[in-house]
Amino acid sequence: MKVVVTGAGNVGRHLAEDLSERGHHVTLIEQDTTVAARASRELPSSVRVVLGDACEPYVLEEGRLGEADAIVAATGDDEDNLVTSLLAKQEFAVPRVLARVNHSKNEWMVTEQWGVDAAVSPPHILTALVEEAVTVGDLVRLLKLERGQVTLVEVVLEEHSSVAGKPLYELRLPLDSAVVAIVREGHVVIPQPETVLTPGDEIMAIASIEAEPELLKALA
């Protein structure tokens, strides 16, 4: 797969290296001369480093964005990531556009209207991980899908939950939701209709935003 990554900071550099190690053809675009030079020194020779501003169409052309299967706008500037994403989708018709969101307050802007197929927010992910570590009985959003309309959520079953000891087929799950995995004592259990829930189970489910409240009630 041909992938273009913008921003050669810690995130972009490590992403480019990881993708290259997995056998993908990677081009890394960076506008800071010093940062670009460091990337050229530290990254494998298979990673092509382009010096320039990824908000400029001619720089994206130099990065051969028109040939790319995917682009990751991974700079530390949300505005730059939005502009790059819009150019990638509208001017270069890149099939898969991913954008990094550095500030949670900007998440609402990073949508398909700006050419973004999926947004990744490090602050949101860290918040989810903290909540996962300390929360029992509440719903924790782990990952947003379908431009924020669907989420991967987790619920840890409480000791006195009304559904403990019941098989999945007895649960009244809302429409637009499904249990996709159960983590039990460090092992992944593939859910079946007859799977019996036990206290402490970490239940992973996919649900639409509208279905989340009813899903939490069903697992209470």
Side-chain angles (χ1 to χ4, degrees), residues 6 20 22 39 44 46 74 94 135 139 144 157 169 187-188 210 215:
T6 65
S20 178
R22 293 169 184 259
S46 58
V94 179
T135 306
L139 182 144
K144 292 183 178 181
L157 218 58
Y169 67 78
H187 299 285
V188 177
E210 293 78 11
L215 176 65

Side-chain angles (χ1 to χ4, degrees), residues 4-17:
V4 173
V5 179
T6 65
N10 288 331
V11 173
R13 195 168 64 253
H14 290 302
L15 177 60
E17 182 176 20

Side-chain angles (χ1 to χ4, degrees), residues 3-6 60 65 68-73 84 88 94 96-99:
V3 184
V4 173
V5 179
T6 65
L60 297 176
L65 186 57
D69 300 296
I71 181 172
V72 184
T84 298
V94 179
R96 185 72 169 163
V97 178
L98 311 177

Side-chain angles (χ1 to χ4, degrees), residues 183-195:
V183 179
R184 179 178 296 165
E185 297 179 353
H187 299 285
V188 177
V189 177
I190 304 301
Q192 304 294 333
E194 62 274 11
T195 300

Side-chain angles (χ1 to χ4, degrees), residues 6-138:
T6 65
N10 288 331
V11 173
R13 195 168 64 253
H14 290 302
L15 177 60
E17 182 176 20
D18 190 38
L19 288 169
S20 178
E21 289 176 351
R22 293 169 184 259
H24 302 297
H25 302 283
V26 182
T27 297
L28 181 61
I29 300 176
E30 171 58 50
Q31 64 178 336
D32 186 283
T33 304
T34 303
V35 177
R38 178 186 176 187
S40 295
R41 289 194 309 270
E42 296 183 357
L43 291 174
S45 58
S46 58
V47 176
R48 179 169 175 255
V49 178
V50 173
L51 179 63
D53 185 353
C55 294
E56 298 288 348
Y58 77 90
V59 175
L60 297 176
E61 287 180 2
E62 186 180 347
R64 300 172 187 165
L65 186 57
E67 303 173 12
D69 300 296
I71 181 172
V72 184
T75 76
D77 189 303
D78 288 342
E79 288 186 11
D80 285 356
N81 291 341
L82 280 175
V83 172
T84 298
S85 297
L86 188 62
L87 287 171
K89 186 62 74 175
Q90 292 193 351
E91 301 298 325
F92 295 89
V94 179
R96 185 72 169 163
V97 178
L98 311 177
R100 171 185 173 190
V101 183
N102 299 279
H103 301 286
S104 299
K105 65 180 181 180
N106 295 330
E107 283 189 59
W108 67 274
M109 294 190 298
V110 188
T111 65
E112 62 180 348
Q113 292 181 325
W114 280 90
V116 179
D117 295 308
V120 179
S121 172
H124 176 83
I125 293 172
L126 288 172
T127 298
L129 290 174
V130 170
E131 289 181 336
E132 179 189 13
V134 300
T135 306
V136 175
D138 291 330

Side-chain angles (χ1 to χ4, degrees), residues 134-166:
V134 300
T135 306
V136 175
D138 291 330
L139 182 144
V140 178
R141 296 185 183 92
L142 299 177
L143 183 67
K144 292 183 178 181
L145 305 167
E146 288 297 314
R147 292 167 285 277
Q149 298 305 304
V150 177
T151 55
L152 175 65
V153 299
E154 177 192 56
V155 177
V156 180
L157 218 58
E158 293 181 286
E159 185 70 31
H160 303 294
S161 170
S162 62
V163 299
K166 292 184 178 180

